[in-house]
């Protein structure tokens, strides 16, 4: 028998906006002396608030700030509070658990202690959300501990008929961008084995790579979000240097309709010429 949340989802349309890799700094500093990450986040919040239709929720897939310092989270919090919809956070390798929890102590979906990974579940939307803390202190790359994998397996087993989205910072695959792959996801095969046993996992939503990417993963789809400000250079050489650029920033929109499933769109942040009609009053415009 489908559970109550499945019945709720059957008649629902639900829109998730995903932003990632904010890398917010304190005291007005530019990231790498070039990128105004605060201005970039403000533009993103304004665009999400003005969207038609407006997203129902926002998920932020890690690297919320640049150095995990309290003063950075103090800058971040009021900017995210400007969103006109609920938002949910997972940490990235640039974050620090204790300082993140202190800044967002009223986010009751988050665990109360920084001594363990910040994993969480939210059951109140048409799609079930599971946040996973893929950070490992001292490492740039990601991993999930054995205990986290057991916890995830139990959570998924508890609601096998409820469409579910997993949110974690690190994509559990090799991207082909050399410098980003030097510290790969340590136990991707173990995560793959868990997810393969649970067909209700609709997406894995990730960040970290600062580019839109997709890969099949354990019978599901792993979607990587572009950065809110700067992007990693698309260089697929194995010895690719660690470079970024200022390509147009972006975000992902995940649109759930029970009768059609989950469709993911890549959107661009910023204002551009248009929209222009394809047709005038007399038909197709040449």
């Amino acid at each position: 028998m489908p559970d109550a949340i499945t019945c709720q989802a059957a008649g629902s349309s639900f829109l998730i906006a995903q932003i990632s890799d904010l890398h917010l700094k304190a005291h007005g500093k530019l990231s790498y002396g070039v990128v105004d990450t605060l201005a970039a986040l403000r533009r993103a919040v304004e665009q999400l608030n003005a969207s038609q239709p407006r997203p129902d929720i926002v998920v932020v897939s890690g690297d919320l700030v640049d150095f995990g310092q309290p003063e950075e989270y103090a800058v971040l919090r009021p900017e995210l509070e400007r969103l006109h919809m609920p938002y949910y956070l997972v940490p990235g390798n640039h974050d620090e658990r204790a300082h993140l929890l202190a800044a967002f102590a009223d986010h009751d979906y988050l665990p109360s202690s920084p001594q363990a990974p910040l994993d969480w579940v939210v059951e109140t939307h048409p799609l079930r959300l599971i946040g996973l803390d893929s950070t490992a202190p001292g490492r740039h790359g990601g991993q999930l501990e054995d205990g986290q994998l057991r916890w995830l397996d139990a959570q998924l087993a508890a609601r096998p008929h409820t469409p579910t989205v997993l949110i974690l910072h690190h994509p559990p695959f090799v991207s082909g961008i050399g410098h980003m792959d030097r510290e790969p996801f340590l136990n991707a095969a173990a995560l793959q084995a868990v997810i393969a046993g649970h067909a209700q996992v609709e997406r894995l939503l990730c960040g970290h790579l600062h580019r839109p990417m997709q890969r099949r993963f354990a019978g599901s789809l792993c979607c990587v979000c572009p950065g809110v400000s700067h992007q990693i250079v698309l260089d697929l050489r194995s010895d690719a240097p660690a470079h970024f650029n200022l390509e147009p920033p972006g975000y992902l929109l995940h649109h759930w309709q029970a009768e059609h499933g989950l469709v993911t769109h890549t959107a661009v942040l910023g204002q551009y010429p248009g929209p222009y009609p394809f047709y005038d009053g007399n038909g197709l415009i040449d």
Side-chain angles (χ1 to χ4, degrees), residues 255-284:
H255 187 206
W256 168 256
Q257 293 176 293
E259 63 271 33
H260 301 301
L262 188 61
V263 177
T264 294
H265 303 266
T266 302
V268 177
L269 289 165
Q271 301 300 316
Y272 303 91
Y276 303 109
F278 289 106
Y279 296 89
D280 62 16
N282 299 313
L284 183 66

Side-chain angles (χ1 to χ4, degrees), residues 140-180:
H140 178 74
Q143 70 178 72
L144 293 176
E145 299 171 1
D146 291 344
Q148 290 179 275
L149 293 170
R150 292 190 295 270
W151 176 86
L152 175 62
D153 191 39
Q155 291 292 332
L156 293 172
R159 291 194 179 273
H161 304 293
T162 303
T164 300
V165 168
L166 310 183
I167 306 113
L168 65 162
H169 181 63
H170 296 87
F173 62 83
V174 173
S175 70
I177 297 177
H179 67 96
M180 296 302 290

Side-chain angles (χ1 to χ4, degrees), residues 22 49 56 94 111 124 136 146 235 261 279:
L22 315 182
N49 285 341
D56 293 290
H94 282 255
T124 54
D146 291 344
D235 187 338
Y279 296 89

Side-chain angles (χ1 to χ4, degrees), residues 6 19 46 71 79 121 150 152-153 163 189 219 233 235 245 255:
T6 306
I19 59 175
E46 290 167 4
E71 57 267 28
E79 300 302 327
V121 181
R150 292 190 295 270
L152 175 62
D153 191 39
V233 170
D235 187 338
N245 62 24
H255 187 206

